[in-house]
């Protein structure tokens, strides 16, 4: 019974996304999904992503430096907020070559 409830909730979520965003990779199927997937696959080819590894490394080290003081304290932290800021730093650096320092400027 729980499985059916989760499936219905998932279908409703997909429907809501489809209504608000249209037919994209996450909501389409068949030929349209394949077309979108092929476009994204080219953009995320390993040869292209390799150039960004230094950016990922730099920002992940800054991410860890911010978390290091919390280790062993028993204090809880909002992981999602820091993860979102880390993602913003990576995207802004990779797309716009901008050192936004979202993590540090929290």
């Amino acid at each position: 019974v729980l499985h059916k409830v989760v499936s219905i909730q998932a279908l409703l979520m997909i429907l809501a996304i489809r209504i608000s965003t249209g037919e994209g990779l996450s909501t389409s199927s068949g030929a349209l999904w394949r077309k979108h997937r092929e476009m994204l696959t080219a953009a995320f080819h390993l040869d292209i992503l390799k150039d960004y590894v230094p950016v990922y490394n730099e920002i992940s080290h800054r991410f860890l430096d911010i978390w290091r003081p919390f280790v062993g304290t028993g204090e809880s932290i909002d992981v999602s907020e820091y993860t979102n800021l880390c993602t913003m730093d990576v995207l802004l650096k990779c797309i716009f070559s901008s050192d936004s320092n979202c993590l540090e400027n929290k």
Side-chain angles (χ1 to χ4, degrees):
V1 174
L2 180 59
H3 177 70
K4 289 181 181 180
V5 171
V6 172
S7 296
I8 291 170
Q9 288 174 341
L11 290 173
L12 289 173
M13 181 63 79
I14 290 169
L15 181 60
I17 292 169
R18 188 175 281 173
I19 289 168
S20 64
T21 64
E23 292 268 342
L25 180 65
S26 61
T27 58
S28 61
S29 60
L32 182 59
W33 179 86
R34 265 193 258 12
K35 180 182 175 185
H36 288 174
R37 179 72 176 123
E38 287 171 5
M39 290 189 302
L40 280 174
T41 298
F44 290 99
H45 191 275
L46 183 59
D47 289 337
I48 293 172
L49 294 178
K50 278 195 264 186
D51 294 338
Y52 296 108
V53 169
V55 174
Y56 306 146
N57 284 337
E58 173 202 337
I59 294 173
S60 65
H61 285 285
R62 291 182 4 220
F63 184 70
L64 293 173
D65 288 342
I66 289 171
W67 278 25
R68 207 165 268 117
F70 294 102
V71 173
T73 65
E75 185 178 344
S76 63
I77 56 174
D78 182 359
V79 175
S80 63
E81 182 178 10
Y82 285 101
T83 305
N84 290 339
L85 293 171
C86 183
T87 302
M88 287 295 292
D89 276 344
V90 169
L91 289 174
L92 290 170
K93 181 69 173 182
C94 291
I95 296 171
F96 301 113
S97 300
S98 172
D99 290 317
S100 59
N101 298 321
C102 294
L103 280 167
E104 289 84 354
N105 296 327
K106 174 185 168 313

